[in-house]
Amino acid sequence: MLVPFVDLKAQYASIKPEIDTVIQRVFDETSFVGGKYVADFEKDFSIRYQAKHVIGVANGTDAIYIVLKMLGIGPGDEVITSASSWISTSETISQTGARPIFVDIDPQTYTINPELIEGKITPRTRAIIPVHLYGQMAHVSTIKEICDKHELFLVEDCAQSHFSMESNVLAGKTGIAGTFSFYPGKNLGAYGDAGCIITNDDHLASRCRMYANHGSLKKHDHQMEGINSRLDTLQAAVLSVKLKYIDQWTQSRINNATLYSEHFRNCTEVQVPQVRRDTLHSFHLYVIRTPVRDKLKLFLEEHGIQTAIHYPVALPFLPAYNHLGHTKADFPVAFRLQNEILSLPMYPELSVPQIEYVSAQIANFFRK
Ligand SMILES: *Cc1c(COP(=O)(O)O)cnc(C)c1O
């Protein structure tokens, strides 16, 4: 049996007539930038999130950069974030001229460890960016208290956590803004790059919208210099179709994760993902942990099972951050985990026999 890590074809096949129809419509109307489809998607997403403002942008990286920049973060400032994430979270901090300050992760949840945050706050700190990694909510209400106490902005990186919740509050709704990626492999994925910002703050929303479109809300009325980071019309049209199915897809991911974890109940060598109490984990990724990760990965590959590592090198240890001079001892949990984590195939269309096959092969590996 072959089990791919993700299978975007299966999902396309399940909604092909609808997708093909809207794409043809955008082509027929030759309205490729802005317009009705972008406005409609922003409206659809704002309804689902009960967010006052949704600003479509070109990708999830720009979403973070634009928010930070429009919050006035820049040279001399520090922004705290997790040692374990995709580089977008920290490179956007640097893009503003500020300095990323990494914090080690919670060994149970793999998200930023809230107990270590206050030790990193200095008079230069302006914001904290928790990442709801793999679909697991960071300890966002605790982080919000820290932000309020120290008068810091809370910006949530929700690129991996569409419709995740903590105490029934959606990811992205606790901070001043939430940023989303609709990269094709994300839980809500476009057919190319796309992203958005959600916020209830009118002033921030207006500034973000302006900045993402050359500093203007009206053509030729440039209130400031900005960038070109608009949500592509074709992507918006695709996203509006896919948004209708997101609840059922999230539920399938959760069911698949539950099934995996049940199969591993007797396989003590595998540490399965821990879901925090009173949260909804949207399982962008199903990440297990074992000290023999590399051998297991190879074994699964030999048996037709694709896996991946998120991430093989934690942010502070990337060559891009050599200049910060971090050592392994600064982030012991992130360092240890980068050698033990393994992401198993996870997508809504993953079948029960596929999950059983993957689980059985992992059990075989440990029985050898
Ligand atoms: C994917 C991702 C992003 C960036 O999204 P793009 O749309 O690829 O720019 C940011 N943060 C995290 C945690 C991500 O996984």
Coordinates of all heavy atoms in Angstrom, one line a residue, residues 16-69:
K16 N -14.6 18.9 -7.5 CA -14.2 19.3 -8.9 C -15.2 20.1 -9.6 O -14.8 21.2 -10.1 CB -13.7 18.1 -9.7 CG -13.1 18.5 -11.0 CD -12.5 17.2 -11.6 CE -11.7 17.4 -12.9 NZ -12.2 18.5 -13.8
P17 N -16.5 19.7 -9.7 CA -17.4 20.5 -10.5 C -17.5 21.9 -10.0 O -17.5 22.9 -10.8 CB -18.7 19.7 -10.4 CG -18.3 18.3 -10.0 CD -17.1 18.4 -9.2
E18 N -17.6 22.1 -8.7 CA -17.8 23.4 -8.1 C -16.6 24.3 -8.4 O -16.7 25.5 -8.7 CB -18.0 23.3 -6.6 CG -19.4 23.2 -6.2 CD -19.5 23.2 -4.7 OE1 -19.1 22.2 -4.1 OE2 -19.9 24.2 -4.1
I19 N -15.4 23.7 -8.2 CA -14.2 24.5 -8.3 C -14.0 24.9 -9.8 O -13.7 26.0 -10.1 CB -12.9 23.6 -7.9 CG1 -13.0 23.4 -6.4 CG2 -11.6 24.3 -8.3 CD1 -12.5 24.5 -5.5
D20 N -14.2 23.9 -10.7 CA -14.0 24.2 -12.1 C -15.0 25.3 -12.6 O -14.6 26.2 -13.4 CB -14.2 22.9 -12.9 CG -13.1 21.9 -12.7 OD1 -12.2 22.2 -11.9 OD2 -13.2 20.8 -13.3
T21 N -16.2 25.3 -12.0 CA -17.2 26.3 -12.4 C -16.7 27.7 -12.0 O -16.8 28.6 -12.8 CB -18.6 26.0 -11.7 OG1 -19.0 24.7 -12.2 CG2 -19.6 27.0 -12.1
V22 N -16.3 27.8 -10.7 CA -15.9 29.2 -10.3 C -14.6 29.7 -11.0 O -14.5 30.9 -11.4 CB -15.7 29.4 -8.8 CG1 -17.0 29.2 -8.0 CG2 -14.6 28.5 -8.2
I23 N -13.7 28.8 -11.3 CA -12.5 29.2 -12.0 C -12.9 29.7 -13.4 O -12.4 30.7 -13.9 CB -11.5 28.0 -12.0 CG1 -10.9 27.8 -10.6 CG2 -10.4 28.3 -13.0 CD1 -9.9 26.7 -10.5
Q24 N -13.8 28.9 -14.0 CA -14.2 29.3 -15.4 C -14.9 30.7 -15.3 O -14.7 31.5 -16.2 CB -15.2 28.3 -16.0 CG -15.5 28.5 -17.4 CD -14.2 28.5 -18.3 OE1 -13.5 27.5 -18.3 NE2 -14.0 29.5 -19.1
R25 N -15.7 30.9 -14.3 CA -16.4 32.2 -14.1 C -15.4 33.3 -14.0 O -15.6 34.4 -14.6 CB -17.3 32.1 -12.9 CG -18.7 32.6 -13.2 CD -19.6 32.5 -12.0 NE -20.4 31.3 -12.0 CZ -20.8 30.7 -10.9 NH1 -20.5 31.1 -9.7 NH2 -21.6 29.6 -11.0
V26 N -14.3 33.2 -13.2 CA -13.3 34.2 -13.1 C -12.7 34.5 -14.4 O -12.5 35.6 -14.8 CB -12.3 33.9 -12.0 CG1 -11.1 34.9 -12.0 CG2 -12.9 33.7 -10.6
F27 N -12.4 33.4 -15.2 CA -11.8 33.6 -16.5 C -12.7 34.3 -17.4 O -12.3 35.2 -18.1 CB -11.4 32.2 -17.1 CG -10.1 31.7 -16.6 CD1 -9.7 31.8 -15.3 CD2 -9.2 31.1 -17.5 CE1 -8.4 31.3 -14.9 CE2 -8.0 30.6 -17.1 CZ -7.6 30.7 -15.8
D28 N -14.0 33.9 -17.4 CA -15.0 34.6 -18.3 C -15.1 36.0 -18.0 O -15.3 36.9 -18.9 CB -16.3 33.9 -18.2 CG -16.4 32.5 -18.8 OD1 -15.5 32.2 -19.6 OD2 -17.2 31.7 -18.4
E29 N -15.0 36.4 -16.7 CA -15.2 37.8 -16.3 C -13.9 38.6 -16.4 O -13.9 39.8 -16.3 CB -15.8 37.8 -14.9 CG -17.2 37.3 -14.8 CD -17.6 37.1 -13.3 OE1 -17.0 37.6 -12.4 OE2 -18.6 36.3 -13.1
T30 N -12.8 37.9 -16.7 CA -11.5 38.4 -16.7 C -11.2 39.5 -15.7 O -10.6 40.6 -15.9 CB -11.1 39.0 -18.1 OG1 -12.0 40.0 -18.5 CG2 -11.1 37.9 -19.2
S31 N -11.7 39.3 -14.5 CA -11.6 40.2 -13.4 C -10.6 39.5 -12.4 O -11.0 38.7 -11.6 CB -12.9 40.4 -12.7 OG -12.7 40.9 -11.4
F32 N -9.3 39.7 -12.7 CA -8.3 38.9 -12.0 C -7.7 39.5 -10.7 O -7.0 38.8 -10.0 CB -7.1 38.6 -13.0 CG -7.6 37.8 -14.2 CD1 -7.5 38.3 -15.5 CD2 -8.1 36.5 -14.0 CE1 -7.9 37.6 -16.6 CE2 -8.5 35.8 -15.1 CZ -8.4 36.3 -16.4
V33 N -7.9 40.8 -10.5 CA -7.3 41.4 -9.3 C -8.5 42.1 -8.5 O -9.2 42.9 -9.1 CB -6.2 42.4 -9.6 CG1 -5.7 43.1 -8.3 CG2 -5.0 41.6 -10.2
G34 N -8.6 41.7 -7.3 CA -9.7 42.3 -6.5 C -11.1 41.9 -6.9 O -11.2 40.8 -7.4
G35 N -12.1 42.7 -6.7 CA -13.4 42.5 -7.2 C -14.2 41.6 -6.3 O -13.9 41.4 -5.1
K36 N -15.3 41.2 -6.8 CA -16.4 40.5 -6.1 C -15.9 39.2 -5.3 O -16.3 39.0 -4.2 CB -17.5 40.1 -7.1 CG -18.6 39.2 -6.6 CD -19.6 39.0 -7.7 CE -20.7 38.0 -7.3 NZ -20.2 36.7 -7.0
Y37 N -15.1 38.4 -6.0 CA -14.7 37.2 -5.3 C -13.9 37.4 -4.1 O -14.0 36.6 -3.1 CB -14.0 36.2 -6.3 CG -14.9 35.8 -7.4 CD1 -14.9 36.5 -8.7 CD2 -15.8 34.8 -7.2 CE1 -15.8 36.1 -9.7 CE2 -16.7 34.4 -8.2 CZ -16.7 35.1 -9.4 OH -17.6 34.7 -10.4
V38 N -13.0 38.4 -4.1 CA -12.2 38.7 -3.0 C -13.1 39.2 -1.8 O -13.0 38.8 -0.7 CB -11.1 39.7 -3.3 CG1 -10.3 40.1 -2.0 CG2 -10.1 39.1 -4.3
A39 N -14.0 40.2 -2.2 CA -14.9 40.8 -1.2 C -15.8 39.7 -0.6 O -16.0 39.6 0.6 CB -15.7 41.9 -1.9
D40 N -16.3 38.8 -1.5 CA -17.1 37.7 -1.0 C -16.4 36.8 0.0 O -16.9 36.4 1.0 CB -17.7 36.8 -2.2 CG -18.8 37.6 -2.9 OD1 -19.2 38.6 -2.4 OD2 -19.2 37.1 -4.0
F41 N -15.2 36.4 -0.4 CA -14.4 35.5 0.5 C -14.2 36.2 1.9 O -14.3 35.6 2.9 CB -13.1 35.0 -0.1 CG -12.3 34.2 1.0 CD1 -12.8 33.0 1.4 CD2 -11.2 34.7 1.6 CE1 -12.1 32.3 2.4 CE2 -10.5 34.0 2.6 CZ -11.0 32.8 3.0
E42 N -13.8 37.5 1.8 CA -13.5 38.2 3.1 C -14.8 38.2 3.9 O -14.7 38.0 5.1 CB -13.0 39.6 2.8 CG -11.6 39.6 2.2 CD -11.1 41.0 1.9 OE1 -12.0 41.9 1.7 OE2 -9.9 41.2 1.8
K43 N -15.9 38.4 3.3 CA -17.2 38.4 4.0 C -17.5 37.0 4.6 O -17.8 36.9 5.8 CB -18.3 38.9 3.1 CG -19.7 38.9 3.6 CD -20.4 40.2 3.2 CE -21.8 40.3 3.9 NZ -22.7 39.3 3.4
D44 N -17.3 36.0 3.8 CA -17.6 34.6 4.2 C -16.8 34.3 5.4 O -17.2 33.7 6.4 CB -17.3 33.6 3.1 CG -18.2 33.7 1.9 OD1 -19.3 34.4 2.0 OD2 -17.8 33.2 0.8
F45 N -15.5 34.6 5.3 CA -14.5 34.3 6.4 C -14.8 35.1 7.7 O -14.8 34.5 8.8 CB -13.1 34.5 5.9 CG -12.1 33.7 6.7 CD1 -11.9 32.3 6.4 CD2 -11.2 34.3 7.6 CE1 -10.9 31.6 7.1 CE2 -10.3 33.6 8.3 CZ -10.1 32.2 8.1
S46 N -15.2 36.3 7.5 CA -15.6 37.2 8.7 C -16.8 36.6 9.4 O -16.9 36.7 10.6 CB -15.7 38.6 8.3 OG -16.9 38.8 7.6
I47 N -17.7 36.1 8.6 CA -18.9 35.5 9.2 C -18.5 34.3 10.0 O -18.9 34.1 11.2 CB -20.0 35.2 8.2 CG1 -20.6 36.5 7.6 CG2 -21.1 34.4 8.8 CD1 -21.4 36.3 6.4
R48 N -17.8 33.4 9.4 CA -17.4 32.2 10.1 C -16.6 32.5 11.4 O -16.6 31.8 12.4 CB -16.5 31.3 9.2 CG -17.3 30.5 8.1 CD -18.5 29.7 8.8 NE -18.1 28.9 9.9 CZ -17.6 27.7 9.9 NH1 -17.5 27.0 8.8 NH2 -17.3 27.1 11.0
Y49 N -15.8 33.5 11.3 CA -14.9 33.9 12.5 C -15.5 34.9 13.4 O -14.9 35.3 14.4 CB -13.5 34.3 12.0 CG -12.6 33.2 12.0 CD1 -12.5 32.3 10.9 CD2 -11.8 32.9 13.1 CE1 -11.7 31.2 10.8 CE2 -10.9 31.7 13.1 CZ -10.9 30.9 11.9 OH -10.1 29.8 12.0
Q50 N -16.7 35.4 13.0 CA -17.3 36.5 13.8 C -16.2 37.6 14.0 O -16.0 38.1 15.1 CB -17.9 36.0 15.1 CG -19.1 35.1 15.0 CD -20.3 35.9 14.4 OE1 -20.7 36.8 15.0 NE2 -20.7 35.5 13.2
A51 N -15.5 37.9 13.0 CA -14.4 38.9 13.0 C -14.9 40.2 12.3 O -15.5 40.0 11.2 CB -13.1 38.4 12.4
K52 N -14.7 41.3 12.9 CA -15.2 42.6 12.3 C -14.5 42.8 10.9 O -15.1 43.3 10.0 CB -14.9 43.7 13.3 CG -15.8 44.9 13.0 CD -15.7 45.8 14.3 CE -16.4 47.1 13.9 NZ -16.0 48.2 14.9
H53 N -13.2 42.5 10.9 CA -12.5 42.7 9.6 C -11.7 41.5 9.2 O -11.0 40.9 10.0 CB -11.5 43.9 9.8 CG -12.1 45.1 10.3 ND1 -12.8 46.0 9.5 CD2 -12.2 45.7 11.6 CE1 -13.3 47.0 10.2 NE2 -12.9 46.8 11.5
V54 N -11.8 41.2 7.9 CA -10.9 40.2 7.3 C -10.2 40.9 6.1 O -10.9 41.5 5.2 CB -11.7 39.0 6.8 CG1 -10.8 38.1 6.0 CG2 -12.3 38.2 8.0
I55 N -8.9 40.9 6.1 CA -8.1 41.5 5.0 C -7.4 40.4 4.3 O -6.5 39.8 4.8 CB -7.2 42.5 5.6 CG1 -7.9 43.6 6.3 CG2 -6.3 43.1 4.4 CD1 -7.5 43.8 7.7
G56 N -7.8 40.1 3.1 CA -7.1 39.1 2.2 C -5.8 39.6 1.8 O -5.7 40.8 1.4
V57 N -4.8 38.8 1.9 CA -3.4 39.2 1.5 C -2.8 38.1 0.7 O -3.4 37.0 0.5 CB -2.5 39.5 2.7 CG1 -3.0 40.8 3.4 CG2 -2.4 38.4 3.7
A58 N -1.6 38.3 0.2 CA -1.0 37.4 -0.8 C -0.6 36.0 -0.2 O -0.6 35.0 -0.9 CB 0.2 38.0 -1.5
N59 N -0.3 36.0 1.1 CA 0.2 34.8 1.7 C 0.2 35.0 3.2 O 0.1 36.1 3.7 CB 1.6 34.3 1.2 CG 2.6 35.4 1.3 OD1 3.0 35.7 2.4 ND2 3.0 36.0 0.2
G60 N 0.5 33.9 3.9 CA 0.5 33.9 5.4 C 1.7 34.6 6.0 O 1.6 35.2 7.1
T61 N 2.7 34.7 5.2 CA 3.9 35.4 5.7 C 3.7 36.9 5.7 O 3.9 37.6 6.7 CB 5.1 35.0 4.8 OG1 5.2 33.6 4.7 CG2 6.4 35.6 5.4
D62 N 3.2 37.3 4.6 CA 2.9 38.8 4.5 C 1.8 39.2 5.6 O 1.9 40.3 6.1 CB 2.3 39.1 3.1 CG 3.4 39.2 2.0 OD1 4.6 39.1 2.4 OD2 3.0 39.5 0.9
A63 N 0.9 38.3 5.9 CA -0.1 38.6 6.9 C 0.6 39.0 8.2 O 0.2 40.0 8.8 CB -1.0 37.4 7.1
I64 N 1.6 38.2 8.6 CA 2.3 38.5 9.8 C 3.1 39.8 9.7 O 3.0 40.7 10.6 CB 3.3 37.4 10.2 CG1 2.6 36.0 10.3 CG2 3.9 37.7 11.6 CD1 3.5 34.9 10.4
Y65 N 3.8 39.9 8.6 CA 4.6 41.1 8.4 C 3.8 42.4 8.4 O 4.1 43.4 9.1 CB 5.4 41.0 7.1 CG 6.0 42.3 6.6 CD1 7.1 42.8 7.3 CD2 5.6 43.0 5.5 CE1 7.7 44.0 7.0 CE2 6.1 44.2 5.2 CZ 7.2 44.7 5.9 OH 7.8 45.9 5.5
I66 N 2.7 42.4 7.7 CA 1.8 43.6 7.6 C 1.3 44.0 8.9 O 1.3 45.1 9.3 CB 0.7 43.3 6.6 CG1 1.3 43.2 5.1 CG2 -0.4 44.4 6.6 CD1 0.3 42.6 4.1
V67 N 0.8 43.0 9.7 CA 0.3 43.3 11.1 C 1.4 43.9 11.9 O 1.2 45.0 12.6 CB -0.3 42.0 11.7 CG1 -0.5 42.3 13.2 CG2 -1.6 41.6 11.0
L68 N 2.5 43.3 12.0 CA 3.6 43.8 12.8 C 4.0 45.3 12.4 O 4.1 46.2 13.2 CB 4.9 42.9 12.8 CG 4.7 41.5 13.3 CD1 6.0 40.8 13.1 CD2 4.3 41.5 14.8
K69 N 4.2 45.4 11.1 CA 4.5 46.7 10.6 C 3.5 47.8 10.9 O 3.8 48.9 11.3 CB 4.7 46.6 9.0 CG 5.2 47.8 8.3 CD 6.7 47.8 8.2 CE 7.2 49.1 7.5 NZ 8.6 49.4 7.7

